[in-house]
Every structure is written in C-alpha cells, then in structure tokens.
Amino acid sequence: MSDDFHLKKITELNQLLISKQISSVELLQYFLKRIEKYDSKINSFISIDQDRALKIAKNADKRIHNNDLNLLTGIPYMVKDNISTKHFPTTAGSKILDGFKSNYDATVVQKLNQEGAVLIGKGNLDEFAMGSSTENSAFGPTKNPWNLNYVPGGSSGGPAAAVSAGFCVFSLGSDTGGSIRQPASLCGITGFKPSYGSVSRYGLIAFGSSLDQIGPFTRFSEDSEIIYDVIAGKDRLDSTTKEISKNKSKVNLKNLTIGLPKEYFSDYLDDHVKSNIMELVEFLSKQGTNVQEVSLPYTDYALAVYYILAPSEASSNLSRYDGVKYGFSDHNVDSMWERIESSRSNGFGLEVKRRIMLGTYSLSSGYYDEYYGKAEMTRQLIKKELNSVFDKVDILVTPTSPTTAFKIGEKISDPMAMYSSDIMTIPANIAGIPGISIPVKNSNGLPVGAQLVGPYFKDNNLLNIANEIQKLTDWHLNAVEFD
Ligand code: GLN
C-alpha cells in the first residue's frame, strides 16, 4: 500500500478506514508528522491542537468500529481562522482579536464535526480576509508550497497552502471576491465558492456580508462535492440560506456548451496563463463540448464596484471592534473614547484601515449617491448580464487569476496591482453565482488555475462538470514534492 495519504481521495481514505488498513489516529499522525516537518517554512497554521485532534480521531475509530460512519468520519481538516470555533482562538489574522475565543462553533464546523471529521487547527489569512497574498496577516505571511519565495494567494492562503502541501485532506476558506478560487489557483488545487445563500455564514466573521461565502479546498473536485453536500443547506441562524436540491443530474461533456467571455482573455492576462487555459478548452472541444465566445461588457466595472461595496460593508461590520467587546484593548489611556481610538489604531493593520476609510467615505451622506448608490446600481447590471449569459451557455470558462503566483513583497506596496489579482473572480461574488478553480498545466514550475462559473444554485452541476474533467485529465494530480 502506498502511504501517500495526502494524495488520496476521500472515498479511498474511507475505504482504507473501513477495511482497517489504517486507523483514523494513524491517518491523523501521518498529517501531523508532515505539518511538524514542513509547516515551519510555510506558516499555514495559526493554531493547532494535537491532543484534541487525537481525541476526536480516537472517537472516529470507535464510530468506524461500530459501523456508524460517514464519508468524512476520521478525515483530518483545517478551517480558515475567520470561521468561529469553540475550542480554538479565532483571530481573523488580526491583532485586534488577540485573546478572543468564540463561545460557539460556526454552522459549517458543527456540521463537519457531526460527521466525525477531525479538526486539526486554524488556517492563516490576510487580516479580516482583506488581501490576495496572505501578506496582511498579523501572524506573518504564508509561503507558497511550490516555491517558498512566492505568495500562496489570499486571503485564504493558509487553508490553500495546507491542502497543497498535504497537511490535511481538505480545508474551508471564505470567498468575498476570490479568496478561495485565487489561492487554489496559485497553489495548484481545487477551490470552490458556492452560490450565495447555499452555505450558512453563521459564525463566519463578516467582511462584505452580501458577498461572503464559505467553501472547500480539496485536491479533487469530487471531494469538494462531498464537503459541499455536508455544509450546504438551510440554516435557521443565517436567513439568507435556503434548501439545496438533492437531485443530481449526470453531466456529459459532449452535450455541454461553454462560453469564453472575451473580456477575460484581454491584455492584462499573462500569455502563458492564457495558453494553458486554452489547452483545457481544446481538450473540452475534443470531447465534443461546444465552445462559444461570449461578451460581458459590464465586467470592466466589476473591480470598481467591488472596491466600493466590499469596503462599505466592511466599514460597518468592523465597527464592532471597539476595544471593549472583543479581544485586544488598550488600557493605558484615560477615557472611553481614547480607549476606542487607541485600540482600533493599534489593533488593525494598514490594509484594514484603508478599507475602513474607503468604506466610510463611500457611505458618507455627501458621497453616498455618487459612490455606494452608483455601485449598487451597477452591481445589478453586472448580475443581470451574467445571469442572461446562461441562456446561451451552460458554464463560463475563464482563467482564475491573470498571473501565476507572484513574489513575496512584489505587490504589497501597490494596492491597485494587488486588487487586480481578483479581476476574474469578483464578478461571481457580485452576482452570487458559484465558481470553481481547478488546476491546469503548470507554467515555469508554478500552478495555473482555470475557473468554471455556473448559474445560481446549480452548484452540483458545476462540481460534476469539474469532476468529469478531472476524471479524464491528470493536471490536478501534479503535487508538490518536498526534499
Ligand atoms: N482579494 C480580495 C480583497 O482583498 C478578496 C478577498 C476575499 O475574497 N476575502 O478584498
């Protein structure tokens, strides 16, 4: 038996557990050993609790012994540290939450724990999920497992790097403008952002509430579907959720029509990224898939709309961190107002402060109509345009990111260059529709991801298409090797 457990599918691990070829405790120890050996270089975890994970794994072994198991029983995972957990601190990558521990588990964590999945720890991120490189974390940057001089993408860089490096079978991230798909692309794994309202956000630390979604990172899209099926569905604690349909139709690549939006293949796309995406398109075309060029002219406004709406919502959401209710508080001052000012000044990092200022400005009474109001109206146009393209095509195929991973430090002092990393992923958040990034061929040793975007609440269909592609190709099997 090959012991590359980090390269196996959930169903394969499940079989090994059922047939007692490995126990859940042994599986966990395998991953803990890899973490111990390599994570000091990568910095994907903010916190780990080995003893607790061992207890859960022992419990999973009991369930397996009693034949009371699910596909995820005994499977080790990580969650991004802006998802609340009772037994770990929840930092959102920020100093302002120093010492904060949630008194409840997020709905997604509760659901996974019920299945018997084994939570190892919490993943590094850009502070409050604001960024595209994980360099904005108060806990230091995460490195890309493919090349330690490069960023893993962001904001969910920790969870993406952890799956890419083989520290866990899957992880959960959050995606407000691309924070699951872009790091998945830069780390060479699969990352799925579900439709808005299909997965509960209860317990996710709010950034842009009308855009935020939780979703999985996995090596295989088949595994993403398993996790999605567990975490999706109506939650009375998040009123934006609704029931998902359990009807799954089979996908045939031959009967499929894909759209290539020409705005996504323009000047700002790196040539080598483009040619690797086109290899996927050619492959699909050989399978009999119908390929059409489409045009989505409002795409050009998506980045501007996002950088008004997301900071506006953030400025409101982050007003609760006042140095009184949560975490860090500056006690060296006299009055209440000074305490608030000093705690926020010292607790928040530079990017978060920039977003709060941008958002407060856009929402101020003198500028509301000119900025926030206009952005809301433009959002509707982008949404309408995207929704109606699905009358013509089943899904869109685009690059996930205009470039491969960039060097640590390369874009940190140029916010506009950093913001442009999400130019391809943001439209799906604006429209609330699902998107998945899957690996295609590497370029110069760094991964490239293709994004598939589908209609609202047709998440399982999108996952099935990604799965069909992975059944017939091997790009996703290309994994990092250390030493
Ligand atoms: N990179 C984008 C931002 O900085 C998206 C972040 C996200 O999806 N959480 O806002």
Side-chain angles (χ1 to χ4, degrees):
M1 181 177 58
S2 128
D3 63 354
D4 282 340
F5 297 116
H6 63 287
L7 302 179
K8 292 199 190 301
K9 292 181 189 173
I10 290 174
T11 50
E12 291 170 331
L13 293 170
N14 181 251
Q15 276 311 313
L16 293 174
L17 288 166
I18 292 176
S19 60
K20 307 265 179 350
Q21 282 172 269
I22 187 167
S23 70
S24 167
V25 167
E26 285 163 346
L27 189 62
L28 173 67
Q29 278 161 344
Y30 170 86
F31 284 104
L32 291 178
K33 217 178 265 168
R34 286 184 68 86
I35 295 167
E36 215 166 276
K37 216 162 154 191
Y38 306 117
D39 200 42
S40 55
K41 287 189 211 131
I42 293 174
N43 195 30
S44 70
F45 279 89
I46 287 183
S47 53
I48 288 193
D49 189 339
Q50 299 204 7
D51 294 340
R52 200 183 126 71
L54 275 166
K55 249 190 235 158
I56 302 170
K58 272 186 199 148
N59 214 21
D61 280 331
K62 264 188 223 147
R63 281 179 69 166
I64 295 164
H65 182 76
N66 297 332
N67 214 8
D68 163 34
L69 78 165
N70 306 294
L71 277 174
L72 294 181
T73 310
I75 303 293
Y77 76 107
M78 166 211 257
V79 298
K80 186 175 178 179
D81 208 12
N82 60 350
I83 298 177
S84 303
T85 44
K86 225 178 359 195
H87 299 284
F88 291 87
T90 298
T91 68
S94 181
K95 191 176 152 194
I96 208 157
L97 279 175
D98 189 29
F100 169 69
K101 210 166 185 181
S102 161
N103 54 10
Y104 64 92
D105 278 329
T107 298
V108 288
V109 172
Q110 215 176 0
K111 285 181 165 184
L112 290 167
N113 290 350
Q114 254 162 28
E115 298 292 295
V118 180
L119 180 58
I120 303 181
K122 310 285 298 279
N124 201 7
L125 68 158
D126 284 301
E127 185 177 4
F128 286 101
M130 296 173 187
S132 307
S133 65
T134 318
E135 290 167 292
N136 297 332
S137 167
F139 298 85
T142 297
K143 316 277 171 62
N144 190 316
W146 289 88
N147 185 328
L148 300 177
N149 297 320
Y150 286 74
V151 303
S155 62
S156 319
V163 170
S164 169
F167 297 159
C168 50
V169 179
F170 71 94
S171 59
L172 293 183
S174 66
D175 189 313
T176 305
S179 282
I180 294 175
R181 289 158 290 159
Q182 186 257 15
S185 166
L186 271 45
C187 289
I189 55 168
T190 298
F192 174 52
K193 179 202 93 74
S195 291
Y196 185 80
S198 66
V199 174
S200 170
R201 287 174 295 115
Y202 182 70
L204 171 67
I205 292 186
F207 165 12
S209 310
S210 76
L211 304 151
D212 300 338
Q213 261 302 277
I214 294 175
F217 288 99
T218 56
R219 202 168 287 285
F220 304 91
S221 6
E222 185 190 305
D223 290 354
S224 277
E225 183 157 14
I226 293 172
I227 292 144
Y228 174 73
D229 285 346
V230 169
I231 62 176
K234 190 164 176 54
D235 178 14
R236 64 179 184 82
L237 298 169
D238 175 356
S239 59
T240 60
T241 53
K242 54 181 190 177
E243 226 34 89
I244 55 161
S245 149
K246 301 275 174 203
N247 293 339
K248 293 185 187 168
S249 45
K250 255 199 85 56
V251 165
N252 187 344
L253 295 180
K254 212 172 167 174
N255 302 332
L256 204 67
T257 301
I258 61 164
L260 305 183
K262 70 167 196 243
E263 291 75 10
Y264 287 67
F265 290 86
S266 57
D267 299 343
Y268 47 74
L269 178 61
D270 274 7
D271 286 342
H272 51 124
V273 172
K274 184 173 175 176
S275 64
N276 293 6
I277 301 294
M278 290 319 286
E279 269 192 45
L280 168 67
V281 175
E282 275 154 37
F283 160 80
L284 286 170
S285 169
K286 275 196 199 122
Q287 306 306 307
T289 302
N290 179 11
V291 181
Q292 273 183 27
E293 189 184 91
V294 293
S295 176
L296 298 164
Y298 284 120
T299 304
D300 289 348
Y301 300 103
L303 199 63
V305 164
Y306 175 84
Y307 276 100
I308 291 173
L309 296 183
S312 296
E313 294 184 26
S315 71
S316 161
N317 277 325
L318 269 55
S319 64
R320 74 193 66 172
Y321 306 106
D322 53 8
V324 178
K325 300 189 200 77
Y326 306 90
F328 172 73
S329 190
D330 189 347
H331 293 276
N332 301 320
V333 287
D334 296 329
S335 74
M336 177 187 81
W337 294 114
E338 282 172 305
R339 165 97 73 103
I340 295 176
E341 191 181 326
S342 168
S343 301
R344 282 171 73 85
S345 303
N346 295 310
F348 286 135
L350 280 179
E351 183 60 29
V352 172
K353 286 182 199 162
R354 181 175 8 241
R355 305 283 177 113
I356 293 173
M357 284 194 284
L358 273 173
T360 308
Y361 184 81
S362 309
L363 290 176
S364 60
S365 61
Y367 291 101
Y368 182 95
D369 289 336
E370 206 171 324
Y371 292 104
Y372 185 81
K374 228 179 230 170
E376 253 317 322
M377 283 191 271
T378 315
R379 175 180 198 168
Q380 298 313 318
L381 296 173
I382 296 171
K383 202 168 164 176
K384 219 161 142 189
E385 181 175 81
L386 267 167
N387 285 338
S388 57
V389 80
F390 296 118
D391 295 338
K392 286 186 275 185
V393 300
D394 297 303
I395 58 161
L396 298 171
V397 175
T398 77
T400 306
S401 158
T403 65
T404 50
F406 41 93
K407 283 220 169 99
I408 292 175
E410 192 180 320
K411 296 190 181 173
I412 196 70
S413 48
D414 183 353
M416 281 313 288
M418 189 70 91
Y419 294 174
S420 301
S421 306
D422 293 307
I423 204 151
M424 319 256 172
T425 46
I426 279 172
N429 299 78
I430 288 182
I433 56 181
I436 187 166
S437 179
I438 55 172
V440 292
K441 199 167 85 185
N442 276 16
S443 170
N444 300 324
L446 289 171
V448 178
Q451 178 181 229
L452 317 183
V453 175
Y456 182 59
F457 258 70
K458 292 273 191 325
D459 297 50
N460 282 109
N461 192 50
L462 189 67
L463 285 159
N464 280 339
I465 295 170
N467 192 17
E468 282 307 305
I469 295 172
Q470 293 191 343
K471 274 188 203 160
L472 299 170
T473 58
D474 58 6
W475 295 307
H476 61 293
L477 302 178
N478 192 7
V480 176
E481 276 174 37
F482 297 114
D483 297 328

